[in-house]
């Protein structure tokens, strides 16, 4: 199992390197693909992956990415409002075919997966995005690794004993500190290439620290949904890891966190 997980992890890293470095249409297409697969996995847990409210969610996600591709992200709110209207229309005119939880889950799923994951692409397209986008991976995967190691060595106090008994407060702190250090090192090495960033070393460290805190919420949130629906994994697409949401659960949160943190902390224009 460990060997399978390790090999899959290496393959994911290689794919990420190729896709993110290339950027442009390739990154956009891959971002769309993982978003739709993740949305399908989320809807499957809720039992709406093949019905009308689920279809409305897929349609809304497609509309959102279409607008994003044509650089009309300012109309993103319109897509979300339209999603609510469409799903509620289905709810009303087919009543009582769907429960309230299914309807709200359909709308939430669009926000939770496609919209939040789209910030991977949006970060890549911003000024200095070719360098800043890697902070998403550093804060997500770096935090996971540092939290695991710190927790194994020093973990004594449970972070969320009911939801995730193995996670500790010490591990969580270690994950944030580790991510901040990785961000600082990254800023020191590549800061000279970041023309629009004020003090890259400090800015990258702060952005990674903020995103690392939020990433752990994302990890626990994905686990909470699985626990509520008695599901072990969201899927089996990635050997040894599970589904898209099992592997990218924290990145769903770190992508928008890095985008906004960098905008507020580091970038002089936008």
């Amino acid at each position: 199992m460990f060997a399978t997980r390790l090999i899959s992890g290496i393959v994911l890293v290689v794919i990420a390197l190729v896709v993110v470095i290339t950027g442009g249409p390739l990154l956009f297409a891959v971002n769309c693909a993982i978003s739709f697969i993740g949305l399908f996995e989320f809807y499957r847990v809720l039992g709406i992956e093949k019905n009308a409210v689920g279809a409305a969610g897929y349609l809304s996600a497609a509309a959102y990415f279409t607008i994003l591709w044509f650089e009309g992200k300012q109309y993103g709110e319109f897509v979300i409002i339209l999603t609510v209207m469409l799903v509620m229309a289905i709810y009303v005119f087919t009543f009582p075919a769907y429960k309230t939880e299914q309807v709200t889950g359909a709308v939430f799923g669009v926000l939770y997966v496609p919209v939040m994951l789209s910030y991977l692409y949006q970060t890549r397209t911003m000024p200095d995005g070719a360098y800043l986008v890697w902070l998403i991976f550093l804060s997500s995967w770096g935090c996971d690794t540092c939290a695991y190691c710190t927790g194994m060595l020093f973990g004594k106090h449970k972070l969320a004993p009911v939801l995730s008994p193995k996670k500790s407060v010490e591990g969580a702190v270690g994950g944030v500190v580790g991510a901040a250090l990785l961000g600082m090192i990254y800023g020191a090495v590549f800061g000279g290439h970041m023309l629009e960033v004020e003090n890259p070393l400090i800015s990258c460290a702060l952005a990674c620290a903020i995103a690392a805190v939020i990433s752990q919420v994302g990890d626990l949130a994905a686990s909470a949904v699985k626990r509520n629906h008695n599901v072990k994994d969201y899927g089996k697409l990635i050997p040894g890891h599970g589904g898209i949401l099992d592997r990218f659960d924290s990145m769903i949160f770190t992508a928008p966190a890095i985008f906004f943190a960098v905008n507020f902390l580091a970038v002089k224009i936008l």
Side-chain angles (χ1 to χ4, degrees):
M1 182 66 176
F2 175 76
T4 302
R5 186 177 178 86
L6 178 62
I7 293 171
S8 295
I10 293 172
V11 171
L12 284 175
V13 170
V14 172
I15 293 174
L17 285 170
V18 172
V19 171
V20 177
I21 289 174
T22 303
L26 178 61
L27 176 59
F28 182 82
V30 172
N31 201 161
C32 285
I34 63 176
S35 295
F36 276 98
I37 295 171
L39 184 61
F40 175 81
E41 291 176 350
F42 184 74
Y43 281 174
R44 183 168 56 193
V45 170
L46 301 183
I48 59 173
E49 78 278 15
K50 295 181 180 179
N51 60 28
V53 291
Y58 301 136
L59 181 63
S60 298
Y64 176 80
F65 275 109
T66 300
I67 287 175
L68 183 62
W69 176 249
F70 288 104
E71 300 183 358
K73 60 183 180 182
Q74 67 270 26
Y75 299 109
E77 290 183 6
F78 170 73
V79 173
I80 302 304
I81 292 172
L82 194 63
T83 303
V84 175
M85 291 179 175
L86 180 58
V87 172
M88 290 304 288
I90 295 171
Y91 180 46
V92 168
F93 292 113
T94 62
F95 190 85
Y98 301 104
K99 296 184 180 297
T100 306
E101 292 78 7
Q102 294 176 306
V103 173
T104 54
V107 177
F108 174 74
V110 176
L111 285 168
Y112 176 51
V113 188
V115 172
M116 292 180 73
L117 266 179
S118 74
Y119 283 95
L120 175 62
Y121 172 75
Q122 293 188 59
T123 302
R124 178 64 175 81
T125 59
M126 69 189 297
D128 295 327
Y131 295 95
L132 294 173
V133 69
W134 296 106
L135 298 179
I136 295 173
F137 297 88
L138 283 176
S139 59
S140 177
W141 294 350
C143 177
D144 285 349
T145 302
C146 293
Y148 176 79
C149 294
T150 307
M152 289 291 291
L153 292 172
F154 307 106
K156 292 182 179 179
H157 302 87
K158 302 297 183 184
L159 180 65
V162 176
L163 184 58
S164 187
K166 294 183 179 180
K167 294 185 183 298
S168 66
V169 174
E170 293 81 3
V173 173
V176 174
V177 173
L181 289 174
L182 288 172
M184 183 177 293
I185 294 169
Y186 184 82
V189 174
F190 296 102
H193 300 283
M194 301 177 190
L195 304 180
E196 303 297 336
V197 177
E198 298 278 9
N199 198 334
L201 190 146
I202 300 300
S203 296
C204 290
L206 284 175
C208 280
I210 293 169
V213 173
I214 297 173
S215 77
Q216 297 185 66
V217 176
D219 185 17
L220 291 169
S223 297
V225 174
K226 289 191 288 187
R227 288 290 185 94
N228 275 339
H229 293 85
N230 298 313
V231 174
K232 184 179 184 296
D233 293 316
Y234 281 101
K236 298 180 180 179
L237 181 65
I238 308 172
H241 292 269
I244 289 294
L245 294 185
D246 295 297
R247 180 64 274 180
F248 292 89
D249 50 3
S250 59
M251 195 174 295
I252 287 174
F253 279 63
T254 59
I258 288 296
F259 179 87
F260 289 110
V262 166
N263 271 284
F264 286 117
L265 293 173
V267 179
K268 292 184 288 188
I269 64 171
L270 275 186

